[in-house]
Amino acid sequence: MSVPQPFDPYCKRAAGEIDEIVFGAADQGVSPDAYAAMDGTFNEQTGEFACTGCYIELGMPSSAAGWKAGQLVPQPARI
Ligand SMILES: [Zn+2]
């Protein structure tokens, strides 16, 4: 089984190029790629994930099944 290399398609950076990932990985004693793969937004199919900044930019999407990077961003419900 091979997992695609984590990549943030929103700011177009690999895990190792994102400070928060690099610092978090060092803190946990894992590689930046492994750390990004633990992120809740990590999409195992495509390797995409969203860093915190991008996730906020996207409006902090969530879904019942758990939102993954690369998926459509659900629109906020209109009241
Ligand atoms: Zn990003």
Side-chain angles (χ1 to χ4, degrees):
M1 172 188 127
S2 76
V3 175
Q5 189 176 32
F7 179 77
D8 182 335
Y10 305 103
C11 57
K12 308 202 187 312
R13 290 185 296 176
E17 298 172 328
I18 300 172
D19 285 349
E20 66 179 53
I21 300 291
V22 172
F23 292 140
D27 195 51
Q28 301 282 312
V30 298
S31 70
D33 284 352
Y35 188 75
M38 289 188 275
D39 193 90
T41 67
F42 181 66
N43 186 328
E44 307 78 11
Q45 314 275 295
T46 63
E48 294 169 311
F49 72 101
C51 69
T52 303
C54 292
Y55 186 66
I56 291 170
E57 281 283 303
L58 290 166
M60 295 191 274
S62 63
S63 74
W67 182 84
K68 303 286 183 199
Q71 294 178 340
L72 221 61
V73 174
Q75 296 302 307
R78 291 183 184 226
I79 300 164

